[in-house]
Amino acid sequence: MPSTTSEFAFELCVCQWAEREWVPERGDSAVVVARQLGTKYRRWDTVVLECDPEGLRERATFGADSFDSDLLHVLRHAPADWTYYRDALPDPGYPWRYVRESIHEAADRDALRTRKRGNRIEIRRRTAYPEWVRRIVAVENKPDLTASAARDLAGQLERDVALGLADEVWVATATTGERVEPILLADLPAEVGVLTVDTDAGTAASAWEPRTLAASGPGTRILERPDDGVSAARFEYADPEWKREKRLAIAERAYERGWRAYAGTMRPDCRHFELRADETGVYPYCAAKDRVPTQSECRGACAAFEPEPPVWRGRGWPIEGGPGRRIKRLLDTRRRRRRPGLPER
């Protein structure tokens, strides 16, 4: 990859490395990589899922689109035989009318069977929702770790460790070539691993191994930590079932999006937008700027934006519909190949 002039470019480098080289805790695990995922409290730059291979293939029977927490509540507890939905599902903790909406949505997606007996809705699973996620690894990307960035990062990582939503937490930074990498001198939680990334070679090495967090147990959500050294921190308890639901919802979004979904928020229909490849992988490239563009600048408002000529869209295979549409199809095909059992489009 060309010189990573932005955190976005560095992020893509980390994702490509993880997809190629990540070694799961269990050697038979399949790896799925995504980016920019999390909860309303926290968003991680890179997410690595370590998956049961057979479970991952079974997950493909439900399609490529993700299921939110409400839909997962229905699918995970759907019975094998026809049952009145209120008898089949545990109390959701919110009005049942919302559960009925989720049931109808799941049925529309052919993920659930439904029928009416009188005024009662009965449900039956189409197939059992699999236990496909083994571990979730969160990576925070900081290519240039300044002193102020390290201070901000320490607080974020402390929250990650206390909550224990991920099984492991890492911070990735660019190698500096110094005898001791500056990130090792930063005041970061000891439970967090450190990954040093050589963006030119597309390689990475572990400079500090993380501790495995108690993802299946209760956690602590730090709401506020005053820096005056006197005031008490505010926190709340996170029970294991809440964590289980959030972990699965994050994994579902990771399954759908992967890390190649950046084309959906950029402008591949610009005549300057390209995909380039080298030994480190495939990455977006702006011929006008002569570098990897960021998502925020690669928009229609970009001063260098020029829509691809209509004549390009009239060409035949392999760029039917124009290069921009072909780029989206190519990235989608590559994303689906990492999810065995999904048909290619």
Side-chain angles (χ1 to χ4, degrees), residues 218-299:
T220 301
R221 185 182 300 109
I222 300 174
L223 303 176
E224 182 182 0
R225 174 168 287 176
D227 54 7
D228 58 10
V230 178
S231 304
R234 292 177 54 243
F235 61 91
E236 63 184 16
Y237 171 80
D239 66 81
E241 183 57 29
W242 178 89
K243 288 174 60 175
R244 175 182 168 83
E245 291 177 357
K246 291 301 178 185
R247 282 167 56 86
L248 192 53
I250 290 170
E252 277 287 328
R253 296 203 303 276
Y255 183 87
E256 177 185 41
R257 291 176 53 184
W259 62 269
R260 295 178 175 87
Y262 53 80
T265 55
M266 301 176 80
R267 295 302 302 265
D269 59 335
C270 173
R271 69 184 303 154
H272 301 299
F273 190 98
E274 303 174 2
L275 284 183
R276 292 194 175 182
D278 60 18
E279 64 277 5
T280 67
V282 177
Y283 51 88
Y285 192 82
C286 177
K289 296 181 174 65
D290 196 27
R291 58 179 170 83
V292 177
T294 66
Q295 288 182 291
S296 60
E297 65 186 1
C298 186
R299 299 178 181 273

Side-chain angles (χ1 to χ4, degrees), residues 19 30-34 47-51 56 132 254-255 258 338-339:
E19 193 171 76
V31 171
V32 173
V33 181
V47 174
V48 181
L49 304 182
E50 297 180 8
C51 310
L56 184 62
W132 60 282
Y255 183 87
R338 302 297 301 188
R339 289 137 183 81

Side-chain angles (χ1 to χ4, degrees), residues 13 19 62 71 134 152-153 157 174 190 234 296 307 310 328 345:
C13 183
E19 193 171 76
F62 290 89
L71 284 168
R134 286 176 175 167
D152 294 339
L153 187 61
L157 297 176
R234 292 177 54 243
S296 60
K328 287 187 175 182
R345 291 177 177 173

Side-chain angles (χ1 to χ4, degrees), residues 128-178:
Y129 183 86
E131 295 290 335
W132 60 282
V133 183
R134 286 176 175 167
R135 301 176 80 242
I136 298 179
V137 179
V139 183
E140 184 71 15
N141 297 316
K142 288 294 179 185
D144 183 17
L145 194 68
T146 62
S148 60
R151 286 193 297 269
D152 294 339
L153 187 61
Q156 296 174 2
L157 297 176
E158 286 173 359
R159 287 171 168 80
D160 290 341
V161 170
L163 184 57
L165 197 58
D167 296 271
E168 286 180 4
V169 177
W170 292 75
V171 57
T173 189
T175 55
T176 63
E178 299 182 19

